[in-house]
Amino acid sequence: MEVNNSSTNQRIEQGHQIRETFLQAIITCDTNEIDYYKQEILKVLKDDTMNIFKRVPGNMLRSYKNFLLSHNTLYSYSAEKGGLGAAKSHFISEKYAIMIEHTDQISKLDTIHLNMIDEYGDPSIRYDKLTNPSIADKAIHYIETNFAEEFLIEEMAHDLHVHPSHLMRSFKKEKGATISHARNQKRVKEAKELLIHSNLSMTEIAIMVGFNNSQYFSKIFRKEEGVTPKSFRKAHLNRMEE
């Protein structure tokens, strides 16, 4: 009995060591470490050495959801410690919390978990990780942080300490698109994740990513993707059923 307890304690300690090292990798955006420990964590989950899937008796799905919800908070906190803006961190956390709750398959939770890790550890959304950022880079970071809010170019320019005309010219020259287009692209990108991984209505998704109504959301989505949000979701569901 003592041997079993010792073995269990050792597995628990190893699991916690992996998690702490992993969280540090998220803080520092060490993508190599993140990729390595991502596989280690998946191995722990597959073998269930920590009895994660038994925490809610007879309900493995609920057990995994609870685990991911708690780790969503840990990843978010770690990313903020590493320089991720509070507003951006909040949006990512809310997005994944919704996805987790709306998912009905463990395999889908695996995908959400990996996407969540990659996003929290992405250095491109950490302003302090940029080397000599240009005006356009600063604008992209501003969009990443504020895309779900309605803001005027003048407000962005004021926050970035540049003239609006200079900001627009610099952005178009470097990124090949207008600021408004870049913001819509970001909104559509986030909407696609919610369409795939949640059961939220078109109106709920539209509001969450920054559109005032579902009609305008559908118009912009179709312009960017060539199909309506409803058609995009339906096509994804059909592929999943094949």
Side-chain angles (χ1 to χ4, degrees):
M1 191 70 178
E2 290 180 2
V3 174
N4 288 338
N5 285 338
S6 176
S7 178
T8 300
N9 290 340
Q10 187 176 22
R11 287 199 303 270
I12 292 172
E13 188 166 332
Q14 287 175 341
H16 280 273
Q17 287 175 348
I18 290 172
R19 186 180 68 183
E20 290 307 307
T21 307
F22 183 51
L23 292 177
Q24 185 60 36
I26 290 177
I27 291 173
T28 59
C29 287
D30 188 331
T31 52
N32 289 330
E33 286 286 286
I34 287 172
D35 286 341
Y36 172 75
Y37 281 102
K38 200 161 55 173
Q39 299 308 314
E40 290 297 305
I41 285 178
L42 288 180
K43 193 185 300 180
V44 169
L45 288 171
K46 183 179 179 180
D47 298 338
D48 200 19
T49 55
M50 306 277 289
N51 292 325
I52 289 165
F53 293 107
K54 298 174 184 175
R55 291 176 179 175
V56 180
N59 195 334
M60 292 176 64
L61 185 69
R62 184 67 259 170
S63 297
Y64 195 7
K65 285 185 177 185
N66 290 350
F67 171 83
L68 288 188
L69 288 170
S70 66
H71 278 65
N72 183 25
T73 301
L74 285 174
Y75 299 156
S76 175
Y77 176 70
S78 298
E80 283 191 49
K81 283 179 67 177
L84 183 63
K88 177 68 175 176
S89 179
H90 176 76
F91 177 86
I92 295 173
S93 178
E94 286 292 300
K95 177 180 71 174
Y96 284 111
I98 289 170
M99 289 182 183
I100 290 164
E101 284 296 352
H102 281 251
T103 300
D104 57 4
Q105 295 178 24
I106 286 178
S107 61
K108 290 181 180 179
L109 288 176
D110 284 335
T111 300
I112 290 171
H113 192 190
L114 293 177
N115 291 343
M116 181 167 66
I117 290 168
D118 287 337
E119 187 161 5
Y120 279 123
D122 183 0
S124 70
I125 61 175
R126 309 271 187 95
Y127 182 73
D128 65 327
K129 301 298 179 185
L130 297 177
T131 304
N132 299 319
S134 65
I135 292 173
D137 288 332
K138 293 177 181 178
I140 286 292
H141 183 264
Y142 189 95
I143 291 169
E144 283 281 346
T145 304
N146 300 285
F147 71 88
E149 306 296 329
E150 280 299 331
F151 61 81
L152 300 174
I153 300 297
E154 289 76 12
E155 293 173 322
M156 176 193 277
H158 177 269
D159 290 343
L160 298 180
H161 309 292
V162 294
H163 192 278
S165 297
H166 181 50
L167 172 61
M168 289 187 288
R169 283 196 304 270
S170 298
F171 192 91
K172 183 66 182 292
K173 181 179 179 180
E174 185 172 331
K175 302 300 179 182
T178 64
I179 290 172
S180 295
H181 186 202
R183 178 172 59 183
N184 283 339
Q185 286 180 317
K186 175 61 180 174
R187 287 174 170 176
V188 168
K189 179 183 176 183
E190 295 292 344
K192 285 166 66 177
E193 282 197 82
L194 292 166
L195 287 165
I196 291 171
H197 296 294
S198 81
N199 296 319
L200 293 176
S201 69
M202 297 301 129
T203 298
E204 289 171 324
I205 292 175
I207 292 172
M208 187 170 178
V209 300
F211 292 104
N212 291 326
N213 58 71
S214 59
Q215 289 79 18
Y216 185 56
F217 164 52
S218 183
K219 177 182 177 181
I220 296 298
F221 192 99
R222 184 166 189 168
K223 185 177 180 181
E224 292 294 327
E225 296 295 319
V227 295
T228 64
K230 287 183 179 179
S231 297
F232 177 86
R233 175 180 269 172
K234 184 177 180 180
H236 174 76
L237 290 174
N238 289 340
R239 285 196 298 272
M240 293 293 291
E241 292 172 358
E242 291 176 355

